[in-house]
Amino acid sequence: MREQAKEIHKILVYEEEKERLDVFEKHVSQIPGIQVSRYNDISFDVTAAGVDKGHAIRDIRGRLGIGREWVLAIGDAPNDMPMLREAGVRIAMRNAKEEIRLFCDRMTASNEEDGVAQVLEHLDSYFPFHI
């Protein structure tokens, strides 16, 4: 990882034994050039330092030349915060962590209730203008 840190797009590290995951996360997070995002007890993400979902949205907006008001983001965990900060319309999943629910403008159903699909079915209602 150390030699290829800049080339990492995303690695998901999964381990059901929380104590083992905690130890591995501690070691991985000390590698220069990468960052670790933890959002539950059984996994964490590894990305190149400075790269997150918000970075991806800024890049896409720049390439397409669109404003923040045209971006809708749906999240449920702390690793979604950079993405939600870049969106004009912020929607929390019903199962989202409290900090996400408080930050977002609206809420949809949980993951188990197909909350994302429900948003997509009524996309026009989330924007103050016609899309």
Side-chain angles (χ1 to χ4, degrees):
M1 277 190 211
R2 192 172 285 123
E3 289 78 30
Q4 297 181 356
K6 291 181 182 178
E7 301 300 321
I8 294 174
H9 295 285
K10 182 176 179 179
I11 298 171
L12 172 65
V13 178
Y14 177 84
E15 169 60 59
E16 289 184 357
E17 189 179 316
K18 184 182 179 314
E19 293 76 25
R20 284 179 49 142
L21 188 67
D22 292 343
V23 170
F24 190 57
E25 178 186 14
K26 182 178 177 181
H27 289 294
V28 171
S29 65
Q30 295 174 7
I31 298 172
I34 67 167
Q35 66 187 20
V36 173
S37 301
R38 181 83 174 257
Y39 48 92
N40 63 41
D41 290 336
I42 59 170
S43 67
F44 62 85
D45 292 342
V46 178
T47 60
V51 176
D52 56 37
K53 295 176 181 183
H55 180 87
I57 287 181
R58 284 189 304 279
D59 185 46
I60 291 168
R61 281 184 45 228
R63 289 175 191 228
L64 298 176
I66 61 173
R68 179 174 285 162
E69 70 275 11
W70 286 96
V71 177
L72 181 146
I74 305 169
D76 64 355
N79 67 321
D80 293 325
M81 282 299 284
M83 169 186 68
L84 293 165
R85 283 189 197 101
E86 296 297 324
V89 179
R90 298 179 288 265
I91 302 172
M93 303 295 293
R94 190 175 323 281
N95 58 286
K97 304 279 187 191
E98 182 177 5
E99 68 184 275
I100 302 300
R101 289 193 313 266
L102 293 173
F103 184 75
C104 289
D105 309 308
R106 300 185 62 181
M107 189 177 312
T108 187
S110 72
N111 293 338
E112 293 180 3
E113 301 167 307
D114 298 324
V116 173
Q118 291 182 32
V119 169
L120 295 176
E121 288 172 352
H122 304 284
L123 200 55
D124 277 348
S125 70
Y126 289 93
F127 292 95
F129 43 82
H130 184 67
I131 54 173

